[in-house]
Amino acid sequence: MDRRLIVHFAFVAAVAVGASSCSSTSFSFSRSSDSGLTNVDELLTRIEKVQVESLVAKERARSAYDTLVASVSPEFSGSAVAQYAELEKAIEVSEKQAKALAGTIPALKSSAASVFERWTKDLESFGNTRMRQRSQERLEATREHYELIVRQALASQVSFEALNADLKDHALFLEHDFNAESAAMIHDDVVALEARVAELDGRLDAAIQSSKRYIASRALRGEVELAEEQPAPPKPGKGQRRKAKQPTAEQTPPPAAPVSPKLAAADDADGTD
């Protein structure tokens, strides 16, 4: 299977928003398949989903915070009504993204349970003790890496929801009292929220990098991970899994491809915004 993950940030954000509007496509993974690799492939897709939603979460949280900063800036000029509407919208979008990020966890856990239960059971089928030991070691290492991603995603979710709650409180303060005096009163509090945003960025980055490493080390044969340490925002062509090809001296990297239909369809099935 040729699954491609584009991590160009603006493109991912657009896909995440667009996918939420598609309701006609349904998608579900086959639970009747006897192939353990079907479950493995599903888990890889779910981990990709964590990576994508974490990337989008960074942009949504930062956008909401920057809008609040602009609202209380001493240099603000313009329509207070229009600015407040923009602030409300930015916070609403950020809250929706927090729900989307939280929604990746149940499906991730379900997929992982299928993989690890099947893998554990199949250990009993080995006749060669040495091969069974090797498989068990790989199982334990894979489970440990997966559990790290879950912990990091959950920590990001909690931090994201807390930040959104603070942003909403500041917006509520301004709703009936949006003037120069009230803005000056909370200006320092808003600036102090920068540390919370930076903390969230760090948690999301940890989940993103762990997801990338998992995919790079456990992608199915025929797929390769061309991941590099990505800057913020990410550049096109980084962090993609592409179909393996025989390299040549004159070969140059192909252009970035769209997000896989499978991953986009999984968004519809999950029902995330």
Side-chain angles (χ1 to χ4, degrees), residues 197-218:
V197 177
E199 178 186 2
L200 175 59
D201 279 351
R203 294 183 186 278
L204 290 167
D205 280 335
I208 290 166
Q209 294 304 322
S210 291
S211 298
K212 288 175 65 176
R213 287 193 295 271
Y214 186 102
I215 294 167
S217 62
R218 290 164 176 82

Side-chain angles (χ1 to χ4, degrees), residues 71-89:
S71 300
V72 301
S73 171
E75 290 77 29
F76 173 79
S77 62
S79 168
V81 173
Q83 180 66 21
Y84 188 79
E86 182 179 347
L87 176 60
E88 277 193 314
K89 180 62 176 177

Side-chain angles (χ1 to χ4, degrees), residues 31 36 38-40 42-44 46-47 104-122 139 142-143 146-147 150 214:
R31 296 295 183 180
T38 301
N39 295 334
V40 170
E42 177 184 341
L43 179 55
L44 285 164
R46 295 304 183 182
I47 289 175
T104 64
I105 306 301
L108 177 62
K109 288 183 175 180
S110 177
S111 295
S114 297
V115 170
F116 297 133
E117 288 173 8
R118 173 70 178 267
W119 197 342
T120 299
K121 181 179 180 181
D122 284 350
L139 165 61
T142 302
R143 196 199 316 263
Y146 151 77
E147 289 174 349
V150 172
Y214 186 102

Side-chain angles (χ1 to χ4, degrees), residues 215-262:
I215 294 167
S217 62
R218 290 164 176 82
L220 302 183
R221 293 298 303 272
E223 297 177 353
V224 294
E225 172 67 15
L226 303 179
E228 298 176 5
E229 290 301 317
Q230 73 184 52
K235 295 180 180 180
K238 308 294 184 181
Q240 300 177 28
R241 282 197 288 151
R242 297 200 180 106
K243 191 81 171 180
K245 296 181 180 180
Q246 188 67 28
T248 65
E250 301 298 324
Q251 184 176 1
T252 57
V259 171
S260 69
K262 179 178 178 182

